[in-house]
Amino acid sequence: MNAYLTLAVAIVAEVIATSALKASEGFSKLGPTAIVAVGYGVAFYFLSLTLKSMPVGVAYAVWSGAGIVLISAVGWFAFGQKLDLWAVIGMGLIVTGVLVVNVLSTSGGH
């Protein structure tokens, strides 16, 4: 399986798990707590597959950068959390950094 595909699955699973973590209210709600456990299990399994063919630093940069942006979007849409201009600028810089690593760097193993 393609490393970027397994990484995308890992990122989506992590975002779902983190969103459920907020909804679990300190693990006091069974449904969201189960989603957290399964989601993180799926996320780490697919991240481990990614690391077979992609350097850990590059994979983690993409994982964390995309995760920050996506979970911030979920927080905004699903939980009504606000993002100020500096937060948006910071996330833009994170996305720019991930793009630089993946498009310009030869470290990505592609």
Side-chain angles (χ1 to χ4, degrees):
M1 189 178 272
N2 179 295
Y4 283 100
L5 179 59
T6 58
L7 184 55
V9 171
I11 291 166
V12 169
E14 187 266 336
V15 169
I16 291 168
T18 301
S19 300
L21 186 61
K22 166 75 172 152
S24 78
E25 296 182 13
F27 297 123
S28 66
K29 294 188 174 183
L30 183 59
T33 299
I35 293 170
V36 170
V38 171
Y40 282 128
V42 169
F44 285 113
Y45 173 73
F46 278 90
L47 181 60
S48 74
L49 295 179
T50 302
L51 297 179
K52 289 181 177 181
S53 60
M54 184 182 289
V56 69
V58 173
Y60 195 76
V62 175
W63 158 288
S64 60
I68 287 167
V69 172
L70 291 172
I71 200 63
S72 295
V74 168
W76 187 42
F77 288 112
F79 301 115
Q81 298 171 346
K82 304 296 181 211
L83 298 172
D84 64 14
L85 177 62
W86 290 111
V88 173
I89 289 170
M91 284 185 272
L93 291 170
I94 291 168
V95 169
T96 301
V98 169
L99 287 173
V100 166
V101 167
N102 283 283
V103 175
L104 300 177
S105 174
T106 59
S107 299
H110 22 18

